[in-house]
Amino acid sequence: MHAADISPMRIAVLGAGGLGSAAARMLSQKRELRLDALVDSRGFAFDPDGLDAEAVLHAASERGGVAFAPKTGAPSDDPIGEIVRRAEAFDGVFLALPNLPNDFVPGVAARFAAGGYRGVMTDALKRTSAAERVLKLDELFKTAEIVYIVGCGATPGLLTAAANLAAQSFAEVESVRIWFGVGIQNWEAYRATIREDIAHMPGFDVESARRLTDEEVAELLDERGGKLILEEMEHADDAILEAAGVVSRDCVSVGGVVDTRSSQKPVSTSVVVTGVTFEGRRSSHTFTLGDETSMAANVCGPAFGYMKAGRRLHEIGAYGAHSSATVMPRFVR
Ligand code: NAD
């Protein structure tokens, strides 16, 4: 069968912030996946024949929410519930939601399973403890006939997958080091991302970062010239690579530099995988992302590549919790 004969996957994107709106725009360039719903904290836009992403995002930025999208938008106190109630209208759900508190995304995943959704789910989760909570829902996903792929952004996601691929040259992997650079023009475009990054800094945790007012975040960034330097982050690349049998979590480290005042990356993003070959030779593979690629491109692209891979898994009945290191993403046209 030709790709053109296959109907597009009907996608709901939960979250319409920095990543959710980029995801919506990306889908408008695809024919294998179609944006049918976009959700923010105050409402949702839904069209079973496909949304006009630009019209929805324009209404959202002019009037303060996707609920204002002409014809397709509606306000709601429980917009995620509105999508769950329409579960049969979707083949794929991408969670571009803040994971604050730390069990929010796992809770949303469980809600879809309990609500009768039967399809694919991908997320852009970052924290190890949150990804582990999702992996523990394996049985629930199996019963519900959901294919859930956890950690499908950039890190974890693209870089975790690259680490898994690089590991194949080695008899034993000694270390995986991820060092990322993010350049964004202003932090307000990615509030949850920046808050969750602050939660990794000394003196902060998820709860204290969540409680920071926008003014306090702006002040903290001012004190640091707009830059956050993050080391030894609790990123789920470690648990995902361990669960996939590649390397023990203690050998995985993640850190990076986030500049909130320039769209240029402060450092290049790379993953270095060091190991010993079957002949006993120690070596390293390095995978470096092009500096021109944005965080949005490197998160949403893989999230939809895994979505397409998830469709195939769903077709063959491989329900349950998978990860970015156990599935190969499939290129979306
Ligand atoms: P954001 O703050 O810009 O947007 C969040 C969106 O979620 C907003 O539209 C908000 O209205 C909506 N929302 C919040 N609570 C909601 C609720 N209860 N119901 C419905 N909608 C709700 O966030 P962002 O910066 O786009 O980040 C999204 C997530 O992606 C974060 O968890 C972040 O950590 C993660 N992220 C992952 C990677 C990666 O590489 N894995 C990279 C960047 C960001």
Side-chain angles (χ1 to χ4, degrees):
M1 195 187 286
H2 289 292
D5 300 332
I6 302 170
S7 55
M9 275 184 96
R10 303 163 301 161
I11 305 294
V13 173
L14 308 189
L19 288 185
S21 54
R25 284 203 176 93
M26 188 179 278
L27 286 183
S28 64
Q29 299 174 8
K30 303 288 184 190
R31 48 174 208 278
E32 293 179 327
L33 270 60
R34 185 183 72 206
L35 179 73
D36 280 6
L38 185 61
V39 174
D40 65 21
S41 56
R42 290 187 293 167
F44 66 105
F46 170 61
D47 186 337
D49 294 320
L51 286 171
D52 176 345
E54 279 313 322
V56 178
L57 295 173
H58 180 74
S61 77
E62 291 293 303
R63 303 188 57 197
V66 298
F68 294 103
K71 296 201 187 97
T72 57
S76 172
D77 292 335
D78 179 20
I80 292 174
E82 299 285 353
I83 301 302
V84 175
R85 274 189 281 286
R86 291 168 177 77
E88 289 189 3
F90 304 102
D91 307 304
V93 177
F94 172 41
L95 288 81
L97 294 164
N99 190 43
L100 299 168
N102 199 33
D103 58 1
F104 183 63
V105 166
V108 170
R111 224 179 140 185
F112 271 83
Y117 175 67
R118 284 182 73 249
V120 184
M121 302 185 80
T122 62
D123 66 39
L125 267 186
K126 290 208 282 201
R127 286 229 160 221
T128 303
S129 44
E132 284 178 319
R133 282 177 204 214
V134 172
L135 289 172
K136 284 198 185 121
L137 299 176
D138 184 45
E139 282 305 321
L140 186 66
F141 295 141
K142 282 189 175 128
T143 311
E145 301 191 351
I146 287 174
V147 168
Y148 194 110
I149 309 177
V150 73
C152 298
T155 159
L158 183 58
L159 299 175
T160 333
N164 175 41
L165 194 60
Q168 309 305 320
S169 297
F170 301 117
E172 197 190 338
V173 178
E174 292 181 330
S175 68
V176 174
R177 181 167 161 73
I178 290 171
W179 190 247
F180 64 81
V182 168
I184 52 178
Q185 210 104 53
N186 65 74
W187 85 273
E188 283 96 342
Y190 289 95
R191 283 173 206 261
T193 302
I194 299 304
R195 268 211 178 71
E196 289 174 43
D197 282 344
I198 290 171
H200 291 278
M201 291 170 54
F204 288 95
D205 60 17
V206 177
E207 260 319 297
S208 57
R210 181 160 88 113
R211 282 197 303 269
L212 287 176
T213 63
D214 285 357
E215 292 70 30
E216 285 168 334
V217 172
E219 215 170 283
L220 183 146
L221 292 170
D222 276 345
E223 283 163 14
R224 291 163 173 77
K227 277 193 189 148
L228 300 176
I229 298 170
L230 303 152
E231 293 192 70
E232 297 299 333
M233 299 172 83
E234 192 214 301
H235 254 226
D237 309 76
D238 59 357
I240 288 174
L241 287 168
E242 183 175 85
V246 175
V247 64
S248 107
R249 67 179 66 198
D250 325 335
C251 302
V252 180
S253 72
V254 181
V257 185
V258 180
D259 189 347
T260 56
R261 307 235 159 117
S262 160
S263 52
Q264 284 210 315
K265 284 186 192 180
V267 295
S268 296
T269 296
S270 66
V271 52
V272 183
V273 179
T274 302
V276 180
T277 68
F278 78 102
E279 306 103 323
R281 292 200 199 118
R282 176 168 291 109
S283 186
S284 297
H285 285 334
T286 303
F287 175 66
T288 307
L289 304 189
D291 287 342
E292 300 77 12
T293 58
S294 62
M295 177 170 78
N298 291 321
V299 172
C300 300
F304 291 131
Y306 283 110
M307 189 72 83
K308 179 172 166 180
R311 179 184 221 180
R312 178 72 190 131
L313 292 177
H314 203 273
E315 281 164 4
I316 61 171
Y319 313 123
H322 304 263
S323 80
S324 46
T326 56
V327 176
M328 178 68 99
R330 297 187 65 175
F331 194 77
V332 182
R333 284 162 296 183

